[in-house]
Amino acid sequence: MRYDTDRATISTFCCKFPPAMNEGNNPTCPPGTATLLEELDKKLMVLLRDGRTLIGYLRSVDQFANLVLHRTIERIHVGKEYGDIDRGVFIVRGENVVLLGEIDPDKEAQLPLKEVSVEDILAAQRREQEAKVLKEKIVSTALKDRGLNMSSELTTDEF
C-alpha cells in the first residue's frame, strides 16, 4: 500500500498496527519516529547514551530519529546544582537517544536546583568523578584482599 498524506490512506495505514502501537488509538498518527513530527519547534530535553543531557528546540527529525536541535544547551547536574553550556545547533544520531521529552516552561522555572557557573559545575563534576574512581579502587582492593579479582571491564559504567 502506498503511504500518502491523504487522511484516508493514513487511517488505513495506521489501522494495520495493533491498538497499543497507535498513539492513543489516533489513526492520523503513524507509530514510531513519525510521532516526533508533533514535537517540531518545541523545547525538548534529550538524554544521550553517554549520560549527557541536552536541552534545545527540535527543528528536524528523520526516519532514523536523527535530531537537529537549535539553541541547544548541555545541562550538567551535580547534586542540587546545575550548569548550562551553550552548544548552538546540535545534530544527534538517533541511536544515541535514550530519552526524549518536552519541557514544561512553568515547571522548569520551579526547579529546586541552583544554577551555578560553568566553571563551578565542571569543577564539581570533576570532583565527583574523582571520588567515584577512588571509591571503585577501594572496593576493588577490598575484594582482592578477600580473594576476588574484579575485572575493570565489569566495573565501568560506559556503554
Side-chain angles (χ1 to χ4, degrees):
M1 169 170 283
R2 218 172 101 227
Y3 182 74
D4 293 331
T5 55
D6 177 322
R7 190 173 190 82
T9 306
I10 292 174
S11 179
T12 304
F13 175 77
C14 290
C15 292
K16 290 186 176 184
F17 294 98
M21 289 180 68
N22 287 331
E23 299 291 321
N25 293 328
N26 182 356
T28 63
C29 186
T33 57
T35 58
L36 287 174
L37 295 175
E38 295 174 359
E39 305 302 322
L40 285 176
D41 297 326
K42 292 182 181 175
K43 190 173 185 181
L44 301 179
M45 188 274 312
V46 180
L47 181 64
L48 301 179
R49 271 187 356 184
D50 64 2
R52 289 186 291 169
T53 302
L54 302 175
I55 297 174
Y57 292 89
L58 183 64
R59 296 299 184 211
S60 182
V61 64
D62 67 6
Q63 72 269 25
F64 302 109
N66 296 322
L67 311 173
V68 176
L69 299 172
H70 181 247
R71 291 176 38 195
T72 306
I73 58 168
E74 180 180 346
R75 182 160 287 175
I76 300 173
H77 297 267
V78 177
K80 295 274 186 185
E81 298 178 335
Y82 73 93
D84 293 337
I85 302 172
D86 288 326
R87 297 293 188 197
V89 176
F90 210 92
I91 299 172
V92 180
R93 189 175 171 117
E95 67 182 20
N96 292 319
V97 175
V98 174
L99 179 74
L100 180 132
E102 184 178 359
I103 292 192
D104 184 349
D106 298 331
K107 290 184 181 177
E108 184 181 26
Q110 299 171 3
L111 287 177
L113 302 174
K114 177 183 170 193
E115 185 172 8
V116 297
S117 71
V118 173
E119 294 80 18
D120 290 344
I121 200 67
L122 289 175
Q125 184 182 41
R126 193 170 23 263
R127 286 190 303 271
E128 184 181 59
Q129 184 63 29
E130 289 168 356
K132 182 179 175 183
V133 168
L134 181 61
K135 181 180 176 184
E136 285 178 356
K137 283 183 182 178
I138 291 170
V139 168
S140 178
T141 303
L143 289 172
K144 277 185 182 177
D145 291 345
R146 290 172 176 80
L148 298 171
N149 191 10
M150 201 158 139
S151 170
S152 63
E153 295 173 0
L154 300 175
T155 60
T156 130
D157 290 336
E158 303 279 327
F159 292 93

